[in-house]
Amino acid sequence: MVSGNLFHCRKNSWPPEEYLSRTALQLFDFDSAAPPEQAWRRRLNSHANILKEFSVTFTEAIKMVRLGIRLWSYVREEASHGRKAPIDPFTRESCKPSASQGVPLGGMGSGSISRGFRGEFRQFQIVPGLCEGSPVMANQFSIFISRDGGHKNYASVLAPGQHEGIRKVGDQGISSWDWNLNGQHSTYHALFPRAWTIYDGEPDPELKISCRQISPFIPHNYKDSSLPTSVFVYTLVNTGKERAKVSLLFTWANSIGGVSHLSGDHVNEPFMTAKGNPPVTFAVAACETQNVNVTVLPCFGLSEGSGTTAKEMWSKMVKEGQFPQENFNSGPCMPSAPGETLCAAVSASAWVEPHGKCTVAFSLAWSSPKIKFSKGSSYHRRYTKFYGTSELAAKELAHDALTNYKRWEEDIEKWQSPILNDVRLPEWYKFTLFNELYFLVAGGTVWIDSSSPANIRNNQQQLTNVEAGDCRAVNKHATTKSCYSTAANFGLETDRKEYSCNDYDEDVGRFLYLEGVEYIMWCTYDVHFYASFALLELFPKIELSIQKDFAKAILSEDGRKVKFLAEGNWGIRKVRGAVPHDLGTHDPWSEMNAYNIHDTSKWKDLNPKFVLQVYRDFSATGDMAFGVDVWPSVRAAMEYMEQFDRDNDGLIENDGFPDQTYDAWTVHGVSAYCGCLWLAALQAAAAMALQLGDKDFAEWCKTKYLKAKPVFESMLWNGSYFNYDSGSSNNSKSIQADQLAGQWYTASSGLPSLFDDFKIKSALQKIYDFNVMKVKGGRMGAVNGMHPNGKVDETCMQSREIWTGVTYGVAATMILAGMEEQAFATAEGIFTAGWYWFQTPEGWTIDGHFRSLIYMRPLSIWGMQWALSMPKAILEAPKINVMDRIHLSPNTNGLRTSHTHGQTGVRKIATKAKCFGNSVFNCSC
């Protein structure tokens, strides 16, 4: 645990006073309008540097040439079927990756939209597996200000105007708008799931503006956290001597990113469907109160010939600050022609008295209730349980967001405050911890309400098409008001389905998240091993749901033939007993193992990782029904690994190819990484078997463990750390940063240490001294491999990389070993090297070239938080060595026991836990 005074002398990493005047902070110090002390900050005029992308060396390229040829052929074959290959290094994004990202919008699993720190909406991921990175520049907030007396008028888009394509002379589109914001007096403050943009006297020197962005990401709230909506609350403070009329404008293009806005047949209001994918509806809304008047423009275009052009819309706002009231009755517009872009706008106007304050709230919602994967399977998203399956739900989502956002904020602050107020923790850690959670929204997440849309119950109640609806108060902070919106729609279903929320207390549906936006595979398990601490801490029912999906997969087999691209050999897609690498790409849950570089049924880390995660989750939640349900899969996963113990010494051996998560880094013989995972899995499986009453299997695990542990230490321990592997290659004695991954999970689960404390601390100190401190003085994280002579291991691309998630995992292991100072110094290197603005990569090289932006593994920073505050179920567990509690029978010799042994004990526990479906015990291996 962190000591009480370890970090007391550390200052705020970025105190707000360095970015914002104290006077402005005081003016906003009410109603959450002021940014928090702990936040990631940028000035809006900051230059968004183009990030430097990783490239292989000439030697690495030569080694991978045959893989490259096979991969190229595979990518082309998938494209011929209209599909995107899960790994495609040959296709680059149309927009260059830059340091311009910000907090994403919405909850989890319903499609996401990110918002850059300068205000642009980008990274549209509405269609599963598809990321449209370029910003849609028509999506903007703008402001129009006039003061009594008719002078001091201001109009500007609330984003700096340094963007390509918005300075076209004579343009009828967004180039005709006023882009007067310089950004030097405006700052962005990010603390996921909220963000603040403060305009400190620009464009009007006498008006202070705070825009607060709020999304419903609320731990343990499995309803609101699934909602595709966000709220933007503007707080206006007039420091001048004259009354000011302020009109805020929210414009939105009928687009899901990329060139989708040019495809035609788009209508603002209910109508046609987008080609090829299920329909999507957007709604933008604003709240009308006693002081705020709301008007709408349901449709305008970006080119000459539109009914109302963007230029005409802007001119009207400059002159009048609002739209005609009769627009509410205008009905749907004509469908757009190919190449034409339709947009919608909502305006909210208010008078702000001298030295007065005013609040204006907008919301954005999108409804894409049905998701369809490229091989045909369709599902309904989680939020449809509460809002039905009509795209018109976007209107209700936008409406409800405006009435509920204060309750969301209260819940968010209650969750975050204990960590933010913990004086023992460094400031950079606090906001990085929360900001890394962006991936659970922007990581291509999919959250469905059940395994099949056929399970959804129908209700024939029709949804009437209304433009304005009553918005009733739902908490003490809200007042009765009207909520006006205009919707931009891609489609319409005629029926609405409603459900009782109480019916779904225990059913959280099924959840997917990508390995990364460049590696399009769902729930990649070797990476989930690192990231899963975040889900277990914040949404444990989702974590258990994912584990159940993999438990079912272990006991299944898919005999379809697959060509493995690294070696060019053929095998079957999924082998019974093997943990799948992933849940698939084009037909998740039904067609697993989209990864086809290597045959992952021969990987040595996946099965132990499953056992370790299951035991950690089991011990942390105390969910006996979960333990009983997955136990047959735990046994099958362990017994499957026997084939890799070829000399019967209890240890598994690697097979001379990259047969683990480091899939470019070859391993020979016994390895520190996989061997340590195996020892930890034996102990975890033994502990779980003991708790479930499967004594025979507990004995089997203990016998294996007692044989394997001394062999492992004798083969790899060199006096100060564990060698990379037991082979004779030039990197066999390398110092691997991740060598104690098994010990990390052992300690995280409350199990006895695998090795003597001296050996654990010695190895971690070696990693700190070499892998961390010998790379840029410790300011970059932990490099994966380091030779004992102090030179980076350049055996392959991965050995010379620094992996963000691994660095956090190493830091977590250090915390658990009582090495807090080294832990935070190690992890701080990730932040110091240049945290990647809500697109954290898998890793980078020591010269700062990134690989694979927006990646899952960096969520492992929550492994550090887990180490700092483990649940009571683990902390208060009996401290008796589990192996001492297992008494070996005289006839136990370490041979594989029958799978039927121990069933009686498990059945009894299942009965006590009220588990149903005894078919779980009828599996055979």
Side-chain angles (χ1 to χ4, degrees):
M1 303 298 290
V2 176
S3 57
N5 59 359
L6 184 58
F7 301 110
H8 74 280
C9 61
R10 288 181 183 252
K11 297 179 181 179
N12 291 353
S13 298
W14 288 334
E17 292 85 353
E18 291 185 11
Y19 286 73
L20 191 61
S21 69
R22 184 170 292 276
T23 301
L25 282 170
Q26 291 172 345
L27 289 173
F28 289 126
D29 191 21
F30 73 101
D31 193 32
S32 301
E37 290 186 14
Q38 301 91 356
W40 178 81
R41 312 185 198 280
R42 296 281 281 178
R43 296 193 190 278
L44 265 60
N45 67 340
S46 298
H47 181 61
N49 298 320
I50 301 298
L51 303 177
K52 298 176 290 185
E53 193 163 4
F54 172 92
S55 61
V56 298
T57 65
F58 178 77
T59 301
E60 290 165 350
I62 292 297
K63 291 179 180 178
M64 295 190 290
V65 65
R66 280 179 285 190
L67 168 61
I69 293 171
R70 296 186 192 109
L71 186 55
W72 168 252
S73 176
Y74 172 68
V75 168
R76 292 183 62 186
E77 180 185 354
E78 287 294 284
S80 70
H81 295 290
R83 299 190 295 263
K84 183 174 175 60
I87 302 175
D88 179 7
F90 310 105
T91 303
R92 296 300 177 197
E93 297 293 333
S94 57
C95 60
K96 295 180 179 178
S98 64
S100 59
Q101 297 292 92
V103 173
L105 308 174
M108 301 188 297
S110 296
S112 70
I113 304 167
S114 290
R115 192 173 183 224
F117 71 85
R118 295 189 297 190
E120 69 275 19
F121 294 85
R122 59 195 308 146
Q123 294 286 358
F124 286 72
Q125 296 187 75
I126 306 298
V127 179
L130 179 64
C131 180
E132 296 286 359
S134 298
V136 177
M137 294 307 298
N139 297 345
Q140 296 289 347
F141 283 100
S142 303
I143 194 166
F144 305 84
I145 308 163
S146 61
R147 294 186 178 268
D148 282 347
H151 61 289
K152 295 183 180 178
N153 295 332
Y154 302 91
S156 180
V157 178
L158 286 175
Q162 301 89 20
H163 295 280
E164 296 179 8
I166 61 172
R167 296 294 185 186
K168 300 175 183 176
V169 178
D171 183 34
Q172 296 295 307
I174 62 174
S175 287
S176 63
W177 299 352
D178 296 305
W179 298 80
N180 296 326
L181 197 75
N182 176 277
Q184 70 179 95
H185 299 298
S186 301
T187 54
Y188 181 81
H189 312 255
L191 186 67
F192 179 90
R194 296 190 291 174
W196 293 254
T197 306
I198 308 297
Y199 307 89
D200 192 1
E202 59 174 334
D204 181 346
E206 296 180 337
L207 187 69
K208 310 287 186 180
I209 307 167
S210 166
C211 174
R212 189 162 85 257
Q213 173 186 312
I214 307 144
S215 291
F217 182 98
I218 304 165
H220 306 285
N221 183 331
Y222 295 90
K223 176 189 174 183
D224 291 348
S225 297
S226 72
L227 303 183
T229 186
S230 285
V231 176
F232 307 89
V233 181
Y234 280 84
T235 302
L236 311 171
V237 180
N238 184 1
T239 62
K241 298 179 180 179
E242 299 168 314
R243 189 172 65 146
K245 181 183 180 182
V246 181
S247 295
L248 288 160
L249 178 70
F250 189 14
T251 54
W252 194 264
N254 198 326
S255 170
I256 57 172
V259 296
S260 62
H261 57 288
L262 303 176
S263 60
D265 284 339
H266 296 190
V267 179
N268 284 8
E269 269 299 78
F271 63 101
M272 314 293 287
T273 181
K275 296 182 175 109
N277 288 301
V280 181
T281 304
F282 290 96
V284 290
C287 272
E288 185 168 82
T289 66
Q290 183 177 0
N291 300 320
V292 179
N293 179 53
V294 176
T295 58
V296 301
L297 180 62
C299 185
F300 69 90
L302 299 183
S303 58
E304 192 170 359
S306 302
T308 300
T309 66
K311 184 175 183 179
E312 292 168 341
M313 180 276 296
W314 191 266
S315 297
K316 189 168 189 66
M317 284 297 299
V318 169
K319 292 177 183 178
E320 302 178 17
Q322 61 186 31
F323 302 115
Q325 287 288 337
E326 56 264 27
N327 284 354
F328 284 112
N329 302 315
S330 62
C333 71
M334 294 295 292
S336 66
E340 180 185 14
T341 302
L342 293 185
C343 303
V346 175
S347 170
S349 305
W351 284 96
V352 188
E353 299 297 324
H355 306 291
K357 301 173 182 178
C358 181
T359 298
V360 180
F362 293 87
S363 65
L364 166 69
W366 55 98
S367 182
S368 175
K370 184 179 180 181
I371 58 172
K372 181 179 180 181
F373 292 101
S374 59
K375 287 196 175 180
S377 295
S378 298
Y379 305 91
H380 283 143
R381 296 188 193 264
R382 164 77 174 173
Y383 77 91
T384 62
K385 280 186 179 294
F386 318 109
Y387 284 85
T389 59
S390 169
E391 287 77 23
L392 294 180
K395 289 184 179 181
E396 290 197 28
L397 284 159
H399 172 280
D400 291 354
L402 290 170
T403 62
N404 292 330
Y405 75 85
K406 288 194 175 183
R407 174 174 58 83
W408 294 345
E409 284 198 286
E410 287 180 353
D411 291 342
I412 291 168
E413 288 172 0
K414 185 183 298 184
W415 157 46
Q416 294 184 336
S417 291
I419 294 173
L420 296 178
N421 296 332
D422 191 337
V423 296
R424 302 169 302 168
L425 301 175
E427 298 299 301
W428 68 265
Y429 170 79
K430 296 175 183 179
F431 60 78
T432 304
L433 178 73
F434 291 114
N435 284 337
E436 285 289 11
L437 291 172
Y438 85 95
F439 190 84
L440 290 177
V441 172
T445 53
V446 169
W447 193 356
I448 66 170
D449 69 318
S450 62
S451 60
S452 169
N455 295 333
I456 298 177
R457 293 180 284 113
N458 293 329
N459 186 314
Q460 296 303 316
Q461 178 180 351
Q462 300 295 310
L463 176 64
T464 56
N465 299 326
V466 293
E467 201 52 68
D470 181 42
C471 180
R472 294 179 175 81
V474 295
N475 59 56
K476 62 181 180 181
H477 300 287
T479 57
T480 302
K481 50 202 171 189
S482 294
C483 172
Y484 295 109
S485 68
T486 181
N489 302 286
F490 284 164
L492 169 67
E493 266 186 16
T494 57
D495 64 313
R496 178 187 178 191
K497 302 174 178 64
E498 293 188 347
Y499 314 94
S500 168
C501 301
N502 294 330
D503 293 342
Y504 301 98
D505 289 342
E506 297 302 321
D507 176 17
V508 298
R510 303 174 85 179
F511 189 85
L512 299 170
Y513 63 147
L514 291 175
E515 179 178 337
V517 297
E518 296 177 33
Y519 297 152
I520 309 171
M521 294 165 283
W522 300 109
C523 294
T524 300
Y525 202 74
D526 55 308
V527 185
H528 180 66
F529 175 79
Y530 297 83
S532 59
F533 283 92
L535 286 174
L536 180 58
E537 178 84 17
L538 306 175
F539 298 95
K541 290 182 181 179
I542 291 179
E543 166 64 7
L544 297 188
S545 173
I546 292 174
Q547 300 295 20
K548 289 177 183 177
D549 281 338
F550 276 92
K552 293 174 185 175
I554 289 169
L555 301 178
S556 69
E557 184 162 300
D558 185 342
R560 285 174 288 182
K561 293 291 185 180
V562 174
K563 184 176 183 179
F564 301 113
L565 303 180
E567 294 83 16
N569 60 318
W570 289 80
I572 67 171
R573 178 174 289 277
K574 168 66 179 68
V575 175
R576 182 180 177 84
V579 174
H581 172 273
D582 54 81
L583 292 178
T585 290
H586 303 306
D587 194 7
W589 297 298
S590 298
E591 185 180 271
M592 293 168 284
N593 279 337
Y595 178 92
N596 61 350
I597 304 298
H598 300 287
D599 182 354
T600 59
S601 69
K602 298 178 181 177
W603 277 20
K604 310 308 184 294
D605 63 336
L606 290 169
N607 284 38
K609 284 176 175 177
F610 171 77
V611 175
L612 289 170
Q613 288 185 75
V614 162
Y615 182 75
R616 178 204 57 190
D617 299 350
F618 174 65
S619 60
T621 63
D623 191 330
M624 190 63 69
F626 165 74
V628 172
D629 191 34
V630 301
W631 179 242
S633 300
V634 171
R635 286 196 57 152
M638 292 298 290
E639 292 167 345
Y640 180 86
M641 296 301 291
E642 275 197 282
Q643 64 183 297
F644 304 120
D645 178 12
R646 297 182 177 87
D647 55 5
N648 197 31
D649 63 355
L651 269 181
I652 58 172
E653 288 89 36
N654 295 85
D655 284 326
F657 75 100
D659 51 357
Q660 24 75 46
T661 194
Y662 299 89
D663 59 349
W665 198 357
T666 298
V667 198
H668 300 275
V670 176
S671 70
Y673 183 69
C674 295
C676 187
L677 289 171
W678 174 240
L679 290 177
L682 285 168
Q683 184 172 232
M688 192 168 181
L690 198 63
Q691 293 176 61
L692 291 177
D694 193 343
K695 296 181 180 179
D696 288 342
F697 196 74
E699 291 186 35
W700 181 83
C701 291
K702 177 174 181 176
T703 303
K704 284 281 187 184
Y705 179 83
L706 294 177
K707 287 181 65 176
K709 181 182 174 182
V711 176
F712 178 86
E713 295 192 61
S714 66
M715 295 184 74
L716 297 179
W717 180 251
N718 62 23
S720 60
Y721 65 94
F722 294 99
N723 290 336
Y724 176 69
D725 64 28
S726 63
S728 56
S729 61
N730 60 2
N731 72 319
S732 289
K733 290 183 170 54
S734 286
I735 308 162
Q736 184 180 13
D738 217 0
Q739 62 185 269
L740 290 177
Q743 172 59 29
W744 173 28
Y745 259 73
T746 293
S748 296
S749 304
L751 290 169
S753 294
L754 297 176
F755 314 108
D756 295 338
D757 286 348
F758 160 74
K759 291 180 179 177
I760 293 170
K761 290 186 176 182
S762 175
L764 290 171
Q765 188 65 46
K766 192 74 171 186
I767 293 165
Y768 179 75
D769 292 340
F770 280 69
N771 301 58
V772 177
M773 297 306 297
K774 290 187 180 295
V775 179
K776 306 292 184 182
R779 296 189 299 274
M780 292 198 77
V783 70
N784 284 336
M786 178 71 77
H787 289 295
N789 62 4
K791 293 183 178 180
V792 172
D793 184 344
E794 297 187 349
T795 302
C796 67
M797 54 182 274
Q798 292 175 339
S799 63
R800 61 184 175 92
E801 286 180 325
I802 296 160
W803 284 7
T804 319
V806 168
T807 296
Y808 289 145
V810 170
T813 312
M814 290 175 173
I815 291 171
L816 292 163
M819 300 171 63
E820 296 93 348
E821 189 167 357
Q822 295 94 324
F824 282 95
T826 295
E828 189 172 6
I830 299 297
F831 175 76
T832 306
W835 186 70
Y836 270 67
W837 305 278
F838 301 93
Q839 51 186 343
T840 317
E842 158 76 312
W844 51 75
T845 58
I846 60 175
D847 56 358
H849 289 239
F850 78 87
R851 182 171 63 81
S852 188
L853 293 176
I854 312 182
Y855 196 80
M856 182 198 294
R857 203 181 320 247
L859 281 170
S860 63
I861 191 173
W862 280 85
M864 295 179 65
Q865 189 60 27
W866 185 267
L868 293 168
S869 55
M870 284 195 289
K872 286 185 177 180
I874 291 178
L875 290 176
E876 296 178 359
K879 301 305 178 185
I880 303 172
N881 190 319
V882 64
M883 292 302 184
D884 292 341
R885 297 171 59 195
I886 301 171
H887 302 289
L888 298 181
S889 303
N891 60 348
T892 302
N893 57 10
L895 297 177
R896 179 175 180 268
T897 58
S898 169
H899 189 77
T900 59
H901 287 185
Q903 278 194 13
T904 302
V906 180
R907 281 186 185 276
K908 287 180 180 178
I909 291 175
T911 303
K912 289 182 180 179
K914 297 183 180 179
C915 302
F916 301 100
N918 287 334
S919 60
V920 73
F921 300 108
N922 296 330
C923 307
S924 60
C925 289

